[in-house]
Amino acid sequence: HQYILSGSGDKTVRLWHLENGIEVTRGDGHTGYITSCSFSPCGRLVLSGASDKSIRFWKLTSAHNPMFFDFSSSGRSKSPLLAVEMPSTDPKTWTTEEVSTWLSYLGLSHHCDAFLKHRITGAGLSYINAKRLAVDMNMTSPSDRSKVLRSLNDLFPSDRSVPSEFICPISMEIMHDPVVAADGFSYERSAIVAWIAEDRFTSPMTNLPLTSATVIANQNLRSLIRRQLEQWQPSA
C-alpha cells in the first residue's frame, strides 16, 4: 500500500500517505471511538469498527486521489456488510470474478487471491472439499472452511454427497465419535481432545475462550452419520 490507515478516539478513520505522513482523507460517521480498522487484500476497501457497536464499510474512490465512500450511508443497505450481494446467475456458470463476489458475500474476501490463483470458477466449486480448502487454498481456519462448505452444500445440493455437518472442522474427516465442545460446535472426539491438550483454550470455530474442557457425546449426530454410512455401503 502507498497509504497507512488509522482510527482514534475522535471517531474518525484516517488515511495517511506512507512516505510523507500527510493526511490524505478521513471518514466520519461513527459515534464512538474507533477500535479497529483494516484494508481489504485488494487495498481498495476499508472496514472499521467502533465502541458504538457499529461497523462501517468504506471504498477508496481512486488510487491516486483517494476519498472514502461510505457504503453504510449510500442507501444500498441498512448494514454496510450487506453491500456485497450474491451473484444471481447459476453457480455452475460463475466466472472467477463471481466466485470472488461469493466469497466476499460470505465475509471471506481475504481468501479471494487463493481462489483466483487456482482459477476456481463455478464449475470447479462443486469439487471443492475440506482438504482442498486447507491445502490448496491455505484456509487454515476451521470456521472459514465450515462457512464455505455449508454454502457449497446450499449451492450444489445434488452434487455433494457428504453433508458438511458430518465433517470435523479440525481433522476435516467424517466424524465417527462426534462430541459437542463448550463452544456448542461438534468435533471428532480425538481431534478436539488433542486441540485442548496442546494448550489451545480457544474455540477452533470462533476463536473465543473455551469455558470448559469438557466434551459431551453428540449421540444424534453419531446416529445420523452411521445411518448415512450404512446407506453408502454396497448391497450384497
Side-chain angles (χ1 to χ4, degrees):
H1 297 305
Q2 301 177 25
Y3 308 100
I4 189 169
L5 191 65
S6 72
S8 67
D10 65 359
K11 307 174 185 178
T12 65
V13 181
R14 304 191 185 209
L15 194 71
W16 307 83
H17 199 284
L18 189 58
E19 294 182 358
N20 56 32
I22 296 176
E23 179 182 323
V24 179
T25 187
R26 73 175 64 185
D28 300 292
H30 286 292
T31 59
Y33 60 84
I34 309 301
T35 56
S36 61
C37 53
S38 178
F39 284 108
S40 68
C42 67
R44 295 189 297 271
L45 302 174
V46 167
L47 190 67
S48 61
S51 61
D52 59 2
K53 301 181 181 180
S54 69
I55 297 175
R56 303 188 86 84
F57 191 30
W58 315 82
K59 181 177 180 180
L60 296 177
T61 56
S62 169
H64 301 290
N65 185 28
M67 296 291 289
F68 280 129
F69 174 74
D70 185 2
F71 275 113
S72 58
S73 60
S74 66
R76 293 176 58 182
S77 170
K78 292 182 179 179
S79 169
L81 290 177
L82 297 180
V84 179
E85 298 180 355
M86 277 278 285
S88 58
T89 54
D90 182 351
K92 291 184 178 180
T93 68
W94 284 354
T95 63
T96 55
E97 289 76 16
E98 287 174 311
V99 170
S100 292
T101 301
W102 164 70
L103 286 169
S104 297
Y105 175 81
L106 295 177
L108 302 174
S109 59
H110 50 291
H111 292 298
C112 289
D113 287 347
F115 277 70
L116 289 171
K117 177 182 177 182
H118 289 85
R119 300 178 181 177
I120 302 298
T121 62
L125 278 180
S126 62
Y127 299 100
I128 294 291
N129 55 33
K131 283 191 174 181
R132 190 172 182 196
L133 288 174
V135 177
D136 294 344
M137 308 305 171
N138 196 31
M139 194 174 288
T140 57
S141 166
S143 176
D144 288 357
R145 290 197 301 266
S146 178
K147 189 178 293 187
V148 168
L149 291 173
R150 288 177 185 277
S151 181
L152 288 175
N153 280 343
D154 291 337
L155 293 173
F156 307 100
S158 61
D159 297 339
R160 306 181 65 82
S161 57
V162 182
S164 61
E165 293 82 1
F166 292 4
I167 304 295
C168 171
I170 300 174
S171 68
M172 298 174 291
E173 301 287 349
I174 295 177
M175 292 181 281
H176 296 279
D177 187 12
V179 296
V180 180
D183 60 359
F185 291 94
S186 293
Y187 307 91
E188 179 66 24
R189 182 186 296 272
S190 60
I192 188 63
V193 168
W195 176 280
I196 296 172
E198 294 175 358
D199 293 332
R200 297 175 176 176
F201 298 111
T202 56
S203 164
M205 294 297 286
T206 67
N207 206 35
L208 295 174
L210 290 172
T211 57
S212 170
T214 302
V215 296
I216 302 173
N218 191 335
Q219 298 291 1
N220 289 336
L221 181 57
R222 185 177 184 179
S223 297
L224 288 173
I225 293 174
R226 283 187 172 182
R227 191 177 307 144
Q228 185 66 69
L229 291 176
E230 289 173 357
Q231 292 178 0
W232 287 338
Q233 291 294 327
S235 56

